[in-house]
Amino acid sequence: MQMIKPTLDTVRELLVVYQEAPNPPNLVPLCATIPGADLTPFAAYKKLSAGYDPRKTIKTGPGHGPEEDPLISLRNELSQCREAVVPGLELPPLTGGAIGYVGYDCVRYFEPRTARTMRDVLKVPESLFMLFDTIVAFDHAFSTITVITYIHVPSSHGDASTLEQAYDTARQTIRETITLLE
């Protein structure tokens, strides 16, 4: 079994330190690294694509969501996420968050002078962002794969059983992901 970092005790200690912060974290990263020499990103995608959905999807545009600057909705969603920095835990630059696109037609929100009536022939969202809590990161230099997910810190993280349950849920997500990859 792969070593999952940080430990529950480390998470508890970390949250005690952050307790006095004006905006304490509500997310703590958890990860495990496995050998990755025999697995390509495409092969991993094929193994995982059937079972991994985003935590949330944000869409904008006629028939899909609000007709407004898509970055406002994205900023509002991401501003609620406060990630703890775990000392000694080295993670890749992308460990979660929003993945998606802003379509060309959104230019009218950024440059109002370009706004004009357009016919929607494709019927796709003007923007679409998927928010993921679990990421599979490939390090080709070291031939490793790191599975990263997040503990959603309960508002009452002083309650040991609630935090332990959130930790166990995140740990199980990592184990299931590794099992699918192997």
Side-chain angles (χ1 to χ4, degrees):
M1 185 53 54
Q2 306 306 323
M3 183 173 156
I4 295 178
K5 299 185 265 184
T7 65
L8 178 57
D9 289 337
T10 300
V11 171
R12 284 188 181 121
E13 292 167 9
L14 189 66
L15 292 176
V16 167
V17 169
Y18 275 116
Q19 202 167 19
E20 301 303 318
N23 291 309
N26 57 3
L27 298 170
V28 179
L30 205 64
C31 69
T33 301
I34 61 173
D38 298 330
L39 189 64
T40 66
F42 180 72
Y45 173 78
K46 283 177 52 178
K47 290 181 176 191
L48 298 175
S49 63
Y52 279 82
D53 294 322
R55 171 176 50 87
K56 184 173 186 176
T57 302
I58 300 171
K59 298 178 186 179
T60 65
H64 299 283
E67 294 182 46
E68 63 183 15
D69 178 346
L71 300 182
I72 293 170
S73 299
L74 184 60
R75 179 180 18 189
N76 290 340
E77 184 67 33
L78 293 178
S79 69
Q80 298 173 34
C81 302
R82 298 178 310 278
E83 181 181 345
V85 176
V86 180
L89 187 63
E90 292 185 31
L91 297 172
L94 177 65
T95 60
I99 298 171
Y101 69 87
V102 174
Y104 177 78
D105 293 343
C106 287
V107 69
R108 71 176 181 267
Y109 304 118
F110 312 125
E111 290 291 337
R113 293 186 315 171
T114 65
R116 65 186 193 289
T117 305
M118 295 184 292
R119 214 178 67 186
D120 184 5
V121 294
L122 297 177
K123 307 287 187 218
V124 297
E126 290 180 338
S127 73
L128 183 141
F129 294 98
M130 297 175 290
L131 283 78
F132 290 91
D133 287 332
T134 303
I135 294 286
V136 177
F138 287 77
D139 185 331
H140 296 290
F142 294 99
S143 295
T144 59
I145 298 170
T146 302
V147 178
I148 306 149
T149 197
Y150 283 89
I151 301 167
H152 289 263
V153 178
S155 56
S156 61
H157 61 77
D159 177 6
S161 66
T162 307
L163 180 61
E164 186 173 347
Q165 183 178 15
Y167 183 90
D168 288 343
T169 299
R171 185 174 56 189
Q172 187 61 29
T173 297
I174 289 175
R175 287 182 176 155
E176 289 170 1
T177 304
I178 289 173
T179 298
L180 287 171
L181 291 170
E182 292 179 329

